[in-house]
Amino acid sequence: MEAWKTNPQAYCRGFADSPDLSADEIDALKEKVVEAFGRIDILVNNAGVSQIKLLSDITDEDWSNMINTNLTGCFNCCRAASKVMVSKHSGSIVNISSMWGISGVS
């Protein structure tokens, strides 16, 4: 029996061990998932970072890190998964946002 069939939770944990993946790494991860499971049923984007400081104190590096994690990473994952989902006519994407989107910060 294939390894993922005997312990799918443990097998899946090995797919993404870093929240900071490039678009190429995400595409490679997508291929690994499709090879193992034949499809992608769901993608949940739950990575996010923020800065606990005043807007005037946020550096360009802080800003780039937030945009790359919160937007670019989410986009790259959605783009990769959607290619498989559209071809299979099936799948769901869930993007989880921060409480700061509702309450804001001062």
Side-chain angles (χ1 to χ4, degrees), residues 7-60:
N7 193 351
Q9 291 83 8
Y11 187 78
C12 290
R13 281 190 197 104
F15 282 120
D17 57 6
S18 171
D20 189 20
L21 299 173
S22 70
D24 289 340
E25 290 168 320
I26 290 168
D27 282 336
L29 175 61
K30 172 200 72 176
E31 293 301 324
K32 188 176 178 183
V33 170
V34 171
E35 180 182 317
F37 300 103
R39 64 182 194 256
I40 298 174
D41 293 319
I42 188 165
L43 166 68
V44 177
N45 286 305
N46 192 35
V49 295
S50 64
Q51 297 295 317
I52 309 300
K53 51 175 91 170
L54 295 173
L55 176 65
S56 58
D57 294 333
I58 293 176
T59 66
D60 289 345

Side-chain angles (χ1 to χ4, degrees), residues 28-103:
L29 175 61
K30 172 200 72 176
E31 293 301 324
K32 188 176 178 183
V33 170
V34 171
E35 180 182 317
F37 300 103
R39 64 182 194 256
I40 298 174
D41 293 319
I42 188 165
L43 166 68
V44 177
N45 286 305
N46 192 35
V49 295
S50 64
Q51 297 295 317
I52 309 300
K53 51 175 91 170
L54 295 173
L55 176 65
S56 58
D57 294 333
I58 293 176
T59 66
D60 289 345
E61 183 179 340
D62 293 336
W63 179 253
S64 291
N65 182 48
M66 287 188 294
I67 293 298
N68 286 337
T69 301
N70 299 348
L71 298 177
T72 305
C74 179
F75 169 77
N76 287 336
C77 288
C78 288
R79 179 175 54 188
S82 68
K83 290 176 184 177
V84 177
M85 292 175 178
V86 168
S87 73
K88 301 287 186 183
H89 304 281
S90 179
S92 298
I93 297 175
V94 178
N95 294 316
I96 298 174
S97 67
S98 165
M99 66 179 188
W100 300 123
I102 302 289
S103 64

